[in-house]
Short mmCIF file of all heavy atoms in Angstrom, two decimals:
data_model
loop_
_atom_site.label_atom_id
_atom_site.label_comp_id
_atom_site.label_asym_id
_atom_site.label_seq_id
_atom_site.Cartn_x
_atom_site.Cartn_y
_atom_site.Cartn_z
N VAL A 199 25.80 -48.95 -87.62
CA VAL A 199 27.21 -49.26 -87.54
C VAL A 199 27.46 -50.39 -86.60
O VAL A 199 28.29 -51.26 -86.82
CB VAL A 199 27.98 -47.98 -87.08
CG1 VAL A 199 29.46 -48.26 -86.98
CG2 VAL A 199 27.76 -46.81 -88.07
N SER A 200 26.68 -50.43 -85.49
CA SER A 200 26.82 -51.54 -84.55
C SER A 200 26.58 -52.89 -85.23
O SER A 200 27.26 -53.88 -84.98
CB SER A 200 25.83 -51.38 -83.38
OG SER A 200 26.18 -50.29 -82.58
N LYS A 201 25.56 -52.92 -86.08
CA LYS A 201 25.21 -54.19 -86.76
C LYS A 201 26.30 -54.61 -87.68
O LYS A 201 26.63 -55.81 -87.78
CB LYS A 201 23.88 -53.98 -87.53
CG LYS A 201 22.65 -53.94 -86.66
CD LYS A 201 21.40 -53.70 -87.46
CE LYS A 201 20.17 -53.61 -86.53
NZ LYS A 201 18.95 -53.31 -87.33
N ILE A 202 26.92 -53.68 -88.42
CA ILE A 202 28.00 -54.04 -89.32
C ILE A 202 29.17 -54.66 -88.54
O ILE A 202 29.65 -55.74 -88.91
CB ILE A 202 28.51 -52.79 -90.08
CG1 ILE A 202 27.42 -52.27 -91.06
CG2 ILE A 202 29.80 -53.06 -90.83
CD1 ILE A 202 27.72 -50.89 -91.59
N ILE A 203 29.56 -53.96 -87.48
CA ILE A 203 30.72 -54.49 -86.69
C ILE A 203 30.36 -55.81 -86.01
O ILE A 203 31.14 -56.79 -86.06
CB ILE A 203 31.14 -53.45 -85.61
CG1 ILE A 203 31.71 -52.17 -86.32
CG2 ILE A 203 32.19 -54.02 -84.69
CD1 ILE A 203 32.04 -51.05 -85.38
N SER A 204 29.19 -55.90 -85.43
CA SER A 204 28.77 -57.10 -84.71
C SER A 204 28.73 -58.33 -85.62
O SER A 204 29.21 -59.43 -85.27
CB SER A 204 27.43 -56.93 -84.04
OG SER A 204 27.45 -55.87 -83.09
N GLU A 205 28.15 -58.14 -86.83
CA GLU A 205 28.05 -59.29 -87.73
C GLU A 205 29.44 -59.75 -88.18
O GLU A 205 29.75 -60.96 -88.27
CB GLU A 205 27.13 -58.99 -88.91
CG GLU A 205 26.94 -60.17 -89.80
CD GLU A 205 25.81 -60.03 -90.81
OE1 GLU A 205 25.15 -58.95 -90.83
OE2 GLU A 205 25.61 -60.97 -91.60
N ILE A 206 30.26 -58.75 -88.53
CA ILE A 206 31.60 -59.12 -89.01
C ILE A 206 32.42 -59.83 -87.95
O ILE A 206 33.11 -60.83 -88.27
CB ILE A 206 32.32 -57.86 -89.57
CG1 ILE A 206 31.67 -57.45 -90.88
CG2 ILE A 206 33.81 -58.10 -89.74
CD1 ILE A 206 32.24 -56.14 -91.49
N VAL A 207 32.41 -59.30 -86.70
CA VAL A 207 33.30 -59.94 -85.71
C VAL A 207 32.76 -61.30 -85.27
O VAL A 207 33.53 -62.09 -84.66
CB VAL A 207 33.47 -59.02 -84.44
CG1 VAL A 207 34.11 -57.71 -84.81
CG2 VAL A 207 32.16 -58.84 -83.69
N SER A 208 31.50 -61.60 -85.59
CA SER A 208 30.94 -62.88 -85.24
C SER A 208 31.20 -64.00 -86.26
O SER A 208 31.03 -65.16 -86.02
CB SER A 208 29.43 -62.82 -85.00
OG SER A 208 28.74 -62.56 -86.21
N ILE A 209 31.59 -63.58 -87.49
CA ILE A 209 31.79 -64.54 -88.59
C ILE A 209 32.81 -65.62 -88.20
O ILE A 209 33.89 -65.32 -87.77
CB ILE A 209 32.26 -63.81 -89.88
CG1 ILE A 209 31.12 -62.90 -90.35
CG2 ILE A 209 32.66 -64.82 -90.94
CD1 ILE A 209 31.52 -61.97 -91.51
N GLY A 210 32.36 -66.87 -88.28
CA GLY A 210 33.20 -68.00 -87.92
C GLY A 210 33.20 -68.34 -86.46
O GLY A 210 33.83 -69.31 -86.01
N GLN A 211 32.53 -67.49 -85.69
CA GLN A 211 32.49 -67.70 -84.21
C GLN A 211 31.06 -67.86 -83.68
O GLN A 211 30.83 -67.79 -82.51
CB GLN A 211 33.18 -66.53 -83.49
CG GLN A 211 34.61 -66.27 -83.88
CD GLN A 211 35.28 -65.29 -82.95
OE1 GLN A 211 35.91 -65.68 -81.95
NE2 GLN A 211 35.17 -64.02 -83.22
N GLU A 212 30.13 -68.05 -84.58
CA GLU A 212 28.73 -68.07 -84.23
C GLU A 212 28.40 -69.12 -83.18
O GLU A 212 27.46 -68.93 -82.37
CB GLU A 212 27.85 -68.30 -85.44
CG GLU A 212 27.89 -67.23 -86.51
CD GLU A 212 29.02 -67.39 -87.53
OE1 GLU A 212 29.92 -68.24 -87.31
OE2 GLU A 212 29.02 -66.68 -88.55
N GLU A 213 29.11 -70.23 -83.15
CA GLU A 213 28.76 -71.29 -82.23
C GLU A 213 29.70 -71.36 -81.01
O GLU A 213 29.57 -72.28 -80.17
CB GLU A 213 28.79 -72.65 -82.96
CG GLU A 213 27.74 -72.71 -84.06
CD GLU A 213 27.60 -74.08 -84.69
OE1 GLU A 213 28.08 -75.04 -84.06
OE2 GLU A 213 27.01 -74.20 -85.78
N VAL A 214 30.60 -70.43 -80.87
CA VAL A 214 31.49 -70.37 -79.72
C VAL A 214 30.72 -70.14 -78.45
O VAL A 214 29.88 -69.26 -78.35
CB VAL A 214 32.57 -69.26 -79.87
CG1 VAL A 214 33.38 -69.09 -78.60
CG2 VAL A 214 33.47 -69.55 -81.05
N THR A 215 30.94 -70.97 -77.44
CA THR A 215 30.28 -70.89 -76.13
C THR A 215 31.22 -71.19 -75.01
O THR A 215 31.91 -72.24 -75.04
CB THR A 215 29.11 -71.89 -76.06
OG1 THR A 215 28.20 -71.65 -77.17
CG2 THR A 215 28.33 -71.70 -74.79
N PRO A 216 31.35 -70.39 -73.97
CA PRO A 216 30.74 -69.04 -73.91
C PRO A 216 31.49 -68.10 -74.79
O PRO A 216 32.64 -68.27 -75.12
CB PRO A 216 30.94 -68.66 -72.43
CG PRO A 216 32.16 -69.39 -72.02
CD PRO A 216 32.11 -70.72 -72.75
N PHE A 217 30.80 -67.02 -75.19
CA PHE A 217 31.36 -66.02 -76.11
C PHE A 217 31.70 -64.76 -75.28
O PHE A 217 30.82 -64.22 -74.59
CB PHE A 217 30.32 -65.63 -77.18
CG PHE A 217 30.93 -64.76 -78.29
CD1 PHE A 217 31.31 -65.35 -79.51
CD2 PHE A 217 31.05 -63.42 -78.16
CE1 PHE A 217 31.82 -64.57 -80.52
CE2 PHE A 217 31.57 -62.61 -79.15
CZ PHE A 217 31.96 -63.23 -80.35
N HIS A 218 32.96 -64.35 -75.31
CA HIS A 218 33.40 -63.20 -74.49
C HIS A 218 33.68 -62.00 -75.44
O HIS A 218 34.49 -62.13 -76.34
CB HIS A 218 34.65 -63.56 -73.72
CG HIS A 218 34.45 -64.53 -72.60
ND1 HIS A 218 34.10 -64.11 -71.35
CD2 HIS A 218 34.45 -65.87 -72.59
CE1 HIS A 218 33.97 -65.17 -70.55
NE2 HIS A 218 34.15 -66.27 -71.28
N ILE A 219 32.97 -60.96 -75.16
CA ILE A 219 33.10 -59.70 -75.99
C ILE A 219 33.63 -58.56 -75.06
O ILE A 219 33.20 -58.48 -73.91
CB ILE A 219 31.78 -59.30 -76.71
CG1 ILE A 219 32.04 -58.18 -77.68
CG2 ILE A 219 30.68 -58.99 -75.71
CD1 ILE A 219 30.90 -57.95 -78.67
N TYR A 220 34.44 -57.69 -75.63
CA TYR A 220 35.08 -56.66 -74.86
C TYR A 220 34.99 -55.31 -75.60
O TYR A 220 35.29 -55.25 -76.77
CB TYR A 220 36.52 -57.02 -74.62
CG TYR A 220 37.39 -55.98 -73.87
CD1 TYR A 220 36.96 -55.35 -72.74
CD2 TYR A 220 38.67 -55.66 -74.35
CE1 TYR A 220 37.74 -54.41 -72.06
CE2 TYR A 220 39.49 -54.74 -73.68
CZ TYR A 220 39.00 -54.12 -72.55
OH TYR A 220 39.78 -53.18 -71.89
N ASP A 221 34.57 -54.24 -74.85
CA ASP A 221 34.56 -52.91 -75.40
C ASP A 221 35.26 -52.01 -74.43
O ASP A 221 34.75 -51.66 -73.37
CB ASP A 221 33.12 -52.44 -75.63
CG ASP A 221 33.07 -51.07 -76.36
OD1 ASP A 221 34.09 -50.38 -76.37
OD2 ASP A 221 31.99 -50.75 -76.90
N PRO A 222 36.46 -51.59 -74.75
CA PRO A 222 37.27 -50.75 -73.79
C PRO A 222 36.81 -49.33 -73.73
O PRO A 222 37.36 -48.54 -72.90
CB PRO A 222 38.69 -50.81 -74.39
CG PRO A 222 38.67 -51.92 -75.43
CD PRO A 222 37.28 -51.97 -75.91
N ALA A 223 35.87 -48.90 -74.57
CA ALA A 223 35.29 -47.52 -74.55
C ALA A 223 33.80 -47.71 -74.76
O ALA A 223 33.25 -47.27 -75.77
CB ALA A 223 35.93 -46.63 -75.60
N MET A 224 33.13 -48.37 -73.83
CA MET A 224 31.82 -49.00 -74.09
C MET A 224 30.67 -48.02 -74.24
O MET A 224 29.62 -48.42 -74.67
CB MET A 224 31.53 -50.04 -73.02
CG MET A 224 31.27 -49.46 -71.66
SD MET A 224 30.88 -50.78 -70.46
CE MET A 224 30.92 -49.80 -68.94
N GLY A 225 30.82 -46.76 -73.76
CA GLY A 225 29.66 -45.88 -73.88
C GLY A 225 28.43 -46.47 -73.26
O GLY A 225 28.47 -46.95 -72.11
N SER A 226 27.32 -46.52 -73.97
CA SER A 226 26.07 -47.05 -73.43
C SER A 226 26.00 -48.54 -73.49
O SER A 226 25.03 -49.12 -73.02
CB SER A 226 24.89 -46.43 -74.19
OG SER A 226 24.87 -46.91 -75.49
N GLY A 227 26.97 -49.24 -74.05
CA GLY A 227 27.01 -50.67 -74.05
C GLY A 227 26.29 -51.30 -75.24
O GLY A 227 26.34 -52.49 -75.44
N SER A 228 25.64 -50.47 -76.07
CA SER A 228 24.85 -51.01 -77.15
C SER A 228 25.70 -51.73 -78.24
O SER A 228 25.21 -52.65 -78.88
CB SER A 228 24.03 -49.91 -77.81
OG SER A 228 23.03 -49.41 -76.91
N LEU A 229 26.89 -51.27 -78.41
CA LEU A 229 27.77 -51.92 -79.39
C LEU A 229 28.08 -53.37 -79.05
O LEU A 229 28.09 -54.23 -79.88
CB LEU A 229 29.06 -51.15 -79.56
CG LEU A 229 30.08 -51.52 -80.64
CD1 LEU A 229 29.40 -51.68 -81.99
CD2 LEU A 229 31.19 -50.53 -80.74
N MET A 230 28.25 -53.63 -77.73
CA MET A 230 28.46 -55.00 -77.27
C MET A 230 27.19 -55.82 -77.42
O MET A 230 27.22 -57.01 -77.84
CB MET A 230 28.92 -54.99 -75.82
CG MET A 230 30.34 -54.63 -75.58
SD MET A 230 30.86 -54.98 -73.88
CE MET A 230 29.86 -53.88 -72.90
N LEU A 231 26.07 -55.24 -77.02
CA LEU A 231 24.81 -56.01 -76.97
C LEU A 231 24.37 -56.50 -78.35
O LEU A 231 23.65 -57.55 -78.44
CB LEU A 231 23.70 -55.17 -76.34
CG LEU A 231 23.76 -55.02 -74.82
CD1 LEU A 231 22.89 -53.84 -74.38
CD2 LEU A 231 23.33 -56.32 -74.18
N ASN A 232 24.77 -55.84 -79.40
CA ASN A 232 24.35 -56.24 -80.73
C ASN A 232 24.84 -57.62 -81.13
O ASN A 232 24.30 -58.24 -82.05
CB ASN A 232 24.78 -55.21 -81.77
CG ASN A 232 23.65 -54.27 -82.19
OD1 ASN A 232 22.64 -54.70 -82.71
ND2 ASN A 232 23.79 -53.00 -81.81
N ILE A 233 25.89 -58.11 -80.46
CA ILE A 233 26.44 -59.41 -80.83
C ILE A 233 25.41 -60.53 -80.67
O ILE A 233 25.47 -61.58 -81.34
CB ILE A 233 27.70 -59.72 -79.99
CG1 ILE A 233 28.57 -60.82 -80.62
CG2 ILE A 233 27.34 -60.12 -78.57
CD1 ILE A 233 29.22 -60.42 -81.90
N ARG A 234 24.43 -60.30 -79.82
CA ARG A 234 23.37 -61.31 -79.59
C ARG A 234 22.66 -61.72 -80.87
O ARG A 234 22.16 -62.82 -80.97
CB ARG A 234 22.37 -60.77 -78.59
CG ARG A 234 22.83 -60.74 -77.14
CD ARG A 234 21.72 -60.29 -76.29
NE ARG A 234 22.00 -60.43 -74.87
CZ ARG A 234 21.13 -60.23 -73.86
NH1 ARG A 234 19.88 -59.93 -74.16
NH2 ARG A 234 21.50 -60.38 -72.63
N GLN A 235 22.55 -60.78 -81.80
CA GLN A 235 21.80 -61.06 -83.04
C GLN A 235 22.53 -62.07 -83.92
O GLN A 235 21.94 -62.64 -84.82
CB GLN A 235 21.58 -59.75 -83.83
CG GLN A 235 20.80 -58.69 -83.13
CD GLN A 235 20.72 -57.46 -83.94
OE1 GLN A 235 20.26 -57.53 -85.12
NE2 GLN A 235 21.13 -56.31 -83.44
N PHE A 236 23.84 -62.30 -83.67
CA PHE A 236 24.64 -63.00 -84.62
C PHE A 236 25.32 -64.27 -84.07
O PHE A 236 26.11 -64.92 -84.79
CB PHE A 236 25.69 -62.07 -85.29
CG PHE A 236 25.06 -60.85 -85.87
CD1 PHE A 236 25.12 -59.60 -85.22
CD2 PHE A 236 24.38 -60.90 -87.05
CE1 PHE A 236 24.55 -58.50 -85.75
CE2 PHE A 236 23.78 -59.77 -87.62
CZ PHE A 236 23.87 -58.55 -86.95
N VAL A 237 25.06 -64.65 -82.84
CA VAL A 237 25.59 -65.84 -82.25
C VAL A 237 24.50 -66.83 -81.96
O VAL A 237 23.36 -66.42 -81.70
CB VAL A 237 26.51 -65.57 -81.03
CG1 VAL A 237 27.69 -64.77 -81.39
CG2 VAL A 237 25.70 -64.85 -79.94
N LYS A 238 24.83 -68.10 -81.94
CA LYS A 238 23.80 -69.17 -81.74
C LYS A 238 23.33 -69.28 -80.33
O LYS A 238 22.20 -69.73 -80.05
CB LYS A 238 24.41 -70.52 -82.20
CG LYS A 238 24.77 -70.60 -83.64
CD LYS A 238 23.54 -70.65 -84.53
CE LYS A 238 23.87 -70.77 -86.02
NZ LYS A 238 24.64 -71.95 -86.44
N ASN A 239 24.13 -68.85 -79.36
CA ASN A 239 23.79 -68.93 -77.96
C ASN A 239 23.87 -67.51 -77.30
O ASN A 239 24.79 -67.24 -76.53
CB ASN A 239 24.72 -69.88 -77.23
CG ASN A 239 24.57 -71.30 -77.77
OD1 ASN A 239 23.59 -71.96 -77.56
ND2 ASN A 239 25.62 -71.76 -78.48
N PRO A 240 22.92 -66.64 -77.63
CA PRO A 240 22.99 -65.28 -77.13
C PRO A 240 22.96 -65.12 -75.59
O PRO A 240 23.47 -64.14 -75.08
CB PRO A 240 21.76 -64.60 -77.75
CG PRO A 240 20.84 -65.73 -78.08
CD PRO A 240 21.69 -66.87 -78.45
N TRP A 241 22.43 -66.13 -74.92
CA TRP A 241 22.34 -66.02 -73.45
C TRP A 241 23.61 -66.51 -72.79
O TRP A 241 23.74 -66.52 -71.57
CB TRP A 241 21.14 -66.80 -72.92
CG TRP A 241 19.88 -66.30 -73.56
CD1 TRP A 241 19.08 -66.94 -74.46
CD2 TRP A 241 19.30 -64.99 -73.38
NE1 TRP A 241 18.05 -66.09 -74.83
CE2 TRP A 241 18.16 -64.90 -74.18
CE3 TRP A 241 19.67 -63.85 -72.61
CZ2 TRP A 241 17.36 -63.78 -74.29
CZ3 TRP A 241 18.85 -62.75 -72.68
CH2 TRP A 241 17.73 -62.69 -73.50
N LYS A 242 24.61 -66.90 -73.59
CA LYS A 242 25.89 -67.34 -73.07
C LYS A 242 27.01 -66.40 -73.45
O LYS A 242 28.18 -66.75 -73.49
CB LYS A 242 26.19 -68.77 -73.48
CG LYS A 242 25.20 -69.79 -72.92
CD LYS A 242 25.57 -71.22 -73.30
CE LYS A 242 24.57 -72.19 -72.70
NZ LYS A 242 24.85 -73.61 -73.05
N VAL A 243 26.63 -65.14 -73.73
CA VAL A 243 27.61 -64.10 -74.04
C VAL A 243 28.03 -63.42 -72.72
O VAL A 243 27.17 -63.14 -71.89
CB VAL A 243 27.02 -63.08 -75.00
CG1 VAL A 243 28.02 -61.90 -75.20
CG2 VAL A 243 26.66 -63.71 -76.37
N HIS A 244 29.30 -63.21 -72.58
CA HIS A 244 29.85 -62.50 -71.38
C HIS A 244 30.35 -61.15 -71.86
O HIS A 244 31.07 -61.04 -72.85
CB HIS A 244 30.96 -63.28 -70.74
CG HIS A 244 30.48 -64.52 -70.05
ND1 HIS A 244 30.47 -64.64 -68.69
CD2 HIS A 244 30.00 -65.72 -70.55
CE1 HIS A 244 30.01 -65.86 -68.36
NE2 HIS A 244 29.72 -66.53 -69.51
N TYR A 245 29.95 -60.12 -71.12
CA TYR A 245 30.23 -58.73 -71.55
C TYR A 245 31.28 -58.14 -70.60
O TYR A 245 31.13 -58.08 -69.41
CB TYR A 245 28.94 -57.90 -71.47
CG TYR A 245 27.87 -58.46 -72.32
CD1 TYR A 245 27.00 -59.41 -71.84
CD2 TYR A 245 27.68 -58.05 -73.68
CE1 TYR A 245 25.98 -59.96 -72.62
CE2 TYR A 245 26.69 -58.61 -74.43
CZ TYR A 245 25.81 -59.55 -73.91
OH TYR A 245 24.82 -60.09 -74.67
N HIS A 246 32.35 -57.61 -71.24
CA HIS A 246 33.45 -56.97 -70.51
C HIS A 246 33.58 -55.56 -71.10
O HIS A 246 33.83 -55.40 -72.30
CB HIS A 246 34.75 -57.75 -70.68
CG HIS A 246 34.60 -59.20 -70.39
ND1 HIS A 246 35.00 -59.78 -69.20
CD2 HIS A 246 34.08 -60.24 -71.17
CE1 HIS A 246 34.74 -61.08 -69.26
NE2 HIS A 246 34.20 -61.38 -70.42
N GLY A 247 33.50 -54.58 -70.23
CA GLY A 247 33.57 -53.20 -70.74
C GLY A 247 34.12 -52.22 -69.78
O GLY A 247 34.04 -52.37 -68.55
N GLN A 248 34.72 -51.21 -70.29
CA GLN A 248 35.30 -50.10 -69.48
C GLN A 248 34.86 -48.75 -70.04
O GLN A 248 34.75 -48.57 -71.27
CB GLN A 248 36.80 -50.19 -69.44
CG GLN A 248 37.45 -49.19 -68.47
CD GLN A 248 38.84 -49.63 -68.09
OE1 GLN A 248 39.17 -49.73 -66.91
NE2 GLN A 248 39.74 -49.89 -69.06
N GLU A 249 34.61 -47.79 -69.16
CA GLU A 249 34.17 -46.47 -69.60
C GLU A 249 34.64 -45.44 -68.60
O GLU A 249 34.49 -45.61 -67.39
CB GLU A 249 32.63 -46.44 -69.69
CG GLU A 249 32.05 -45.06 -69.92
CD GLU A 249 32.55 -44.41 -71.20
OE1 GLU A 249 32.62 -45.12 -72.24
OE2 GLU A 249 32.84 -43.21 -71.15
N LEU A 250 35.25 -44.34 -69.11
CA LEU A 250 35.81 -43.33 -68.29
C LEU A 250 34.73 -42.41 -67.66
O LEU A 250 34.78 -42.08 -66.46
CB LEU A 250 36.79 -42.46 -69.08
CG LEU A 250 37.41 -41.29 -68.42
CD1 LEU A 250 38.21 -41.70 -67.18
CD2 LEU A 250 38.32 -40.49 -69.37
N ASN A 251 33.75 -42.07 -68.45
CA ASN A 251 32.71 -41.13 -67.98
C ASN A 251 31.71 -41.87 -67.07
O ASN A 251 31.08 -42.84 -67.48
CB ASN A 251 31.96 -40.54 -69.21
CG ASN A 251 30.91 -39.57 -68.84
OD1 ASN A 251 29.86 -39.90 -68.28
ND2 ASN A 251 31.19 -38.26 -69.12
N THR A 252 31.60 -41.43 -65.84
CA THR A 252 30.75 -42.10 -64.85
C THR A 252 29.31 -42.14 -65.26
O THR A 252 28.60 -43.16 -65.09
CB THR A 252 30.91 -41.45 -63.45
OG1 THR A 252 32.30 -41.48 -63.09
CG2 THR A 252 30.13 -42.21 -62.44
N THR A 253 28.78 -41.03 -65.79
CA THR A 253 27.40 -41.02 -66.23
C THR A 253 27.15 -42.06 -67.30
O THR A 253 26.14 -42.81 -67.27
CB THR A 253 27.09 -39.59 -66.81
OG1 THR A 253 27.24 -38.61 -65.73
CG2 THR A 253 25.67 -39.58 -67.31
#
Side-chain angles (χ1 to χ4, degrees):
V199 180
S200 291
K201 287 178 181 177
I202 292 167
I203 294 175
S204 298
E205 184 167 0
I206 287 176
V207 300
S208 70
I209 294 171
Q211 302 192 90
E212 295 88 347
E213 297 188 17
V214 171
T215 304
F217 190 99
H218 290 270
I219 188 167
Y220 176 46
D221 187 343
M224 68 179 171
S226 67
S228 293
L229 185 51
M230 286 192 293
L231 282 163
N232 259 298
I233 199 69
R234 286 184 171 187
Q235 300 178 53
F236 305 104
V237 294
K238 297 288 180 62
N239 297 289
W241 302 111
K242 295 184 179 178
V243 175
H244 289 252
Y245 303 87
H246 309 260
Q248 185 159 235
E249 171 59 43
L250 176 60
N251 183 288
T252 303
T253 298

